[in-house]
Amino acid sequence: ARGSRRPGAPRAAAAHSPAPAGSGAYAHGPLLVLDADDEQQVTGFGTGGLLLDVTAKSLPALVEWALSEARVGAQKLHASGRDADPLLVLTAAACERYGLPAVLSDAERSAGRLPEGHRVIKLLERAGWKLTRRGLGPWARIYRPVTGGRRQCVQLCIPSWNALDDRAWGHAATLEPAELARVLGVYAHRVMTPVGSSAVSGLELMTALNPPTRAS
């Protein structure tokens, strides 16, 4: 049982769990694991035992919330690089809350994404959000083109869609939200905010440490 909670109320940090930054643009750490209860109330589980009430009622609103209110993300690893995008991990219950299937059908699993005509994808498009070429799959990037030098991008991870393959992530996909937040938080603290499989994240780490720079 979760017991009583209030928006932004931190819990005692679990052992070996990196604490949120505490202040600044990324005060709530690099990621949140979102879970919904029987009353459709969504809670964000962060690093260091942090709990946040999530007020967004749709996926487009959730992306806006992650960029404007959640204070989630991580500082860049190189002066010429860019900050890490907020990572939102959706449990099966959170998927259903935001109009996504808890699990993919055989055809969707084979394609690695939801079909282009899915209702949630249309909602994102109407709100001005775009998806990368890999679409809305287990690991998805939702973004708007850069305007005024400001990057607007949120990374989604959906374990029930096999985002956390047990060959690389062990039994992480079966963990409770708070424990999953701790495990992914440790990875984000020691490596970088995960953006895909462990192989993809490793490649992204090399780019983050040695970003392409403008010739001069």
Side-chain angles (χ1 to χ4, degrees):
R2 292 200 183 111
S4 61
R5 53 182 169 80
R6 63 183 187 278
R11 293 270 180 88
H16 309 299
S17 177
S23 62
Y26 307 131
H28 293 151
L31 59 92
L32 291 173
V33 178
L34 305 186
D35 190 30
D37 60 21
D38 295 338
E39 298 175 353
Q40 298 296 293
Q41 297 295 317
V42 180
T43 302
F45 295 79
T47 56
L50 185 76
L51 287 178
L52 294 176
D53 282 328
V54 182
T55 57
K57 304 300 183 185
S58 66
L59 191 59
L62 178 64
V63 176
E64 294 275 9
W65 176 85
L67 292 169
S68 62
E69 299 179 42
R71 300 169 73 190
V72 173
Q75 296 289 342
K76 56 190 175 185
L77 300 179
H78 188 283
S80 298
R82 59 176 174 80
D83 292 351
D85 299 321
L87 173 63
L88 301 180
V89 183
L90 305 183
T91 65
C95 284
E96 293 177 340
R97 171 64 184 83
Y98 289 114
L100 299 169
V103 295
L104 296 178
S105 67
D106 290 341
E108 292 164 348
R109 193 180 307 111
S110 178
R113 66 186 74 186
L114 291 181
E116 294 296 327
H118 193 278
R119 184 176 64 88
V120 172
I121 295 179
K122 291 182 177 179
L123 285 176
L124 289 169
E125 291 173 348
R126 283 201 290 269
W129 294 103
K130 297 179 179 293
L131 293 162
T132 60
R133 283 183 293 179
R134 62 183 175 183
L136 187 48
W139 290 93
R141 276 197 175 109
I142 303 174
Y143 72 97
R144 282 181 179 145
V146 175
T147 55
R150 179 169 176 257
R151 178 180 172 87
Q152 298 183 76
C153 184
V154 171
Q155 176 84 44
L156 294 186
C157 168
I158 306 179
S160 61
W161 294 7
N162 201 34
L164 302 177
D165 191 325
D166 57 11
R167 291 173 297 179
W169 295 99
H171 62 285
T174 65
L175 296 174
E176 291 298 317
E179 181 64 8
L180 179 57
R182 187 193 69 80
V183 169
L184 294 179
V186 169
Y187 186 94
H189 179 68
R190 296 181 180 176
V191 185
M192 66 175 294
T193 304
V195 294
S197 67
S198 55
V200 170
S201 296
L203 291 172
E204 289 285 341
L205 175 63
M206 295 300 98
T207 302
L209 292 172
N210 298 279
T213 56
R214 185 175 300 171
S216 61

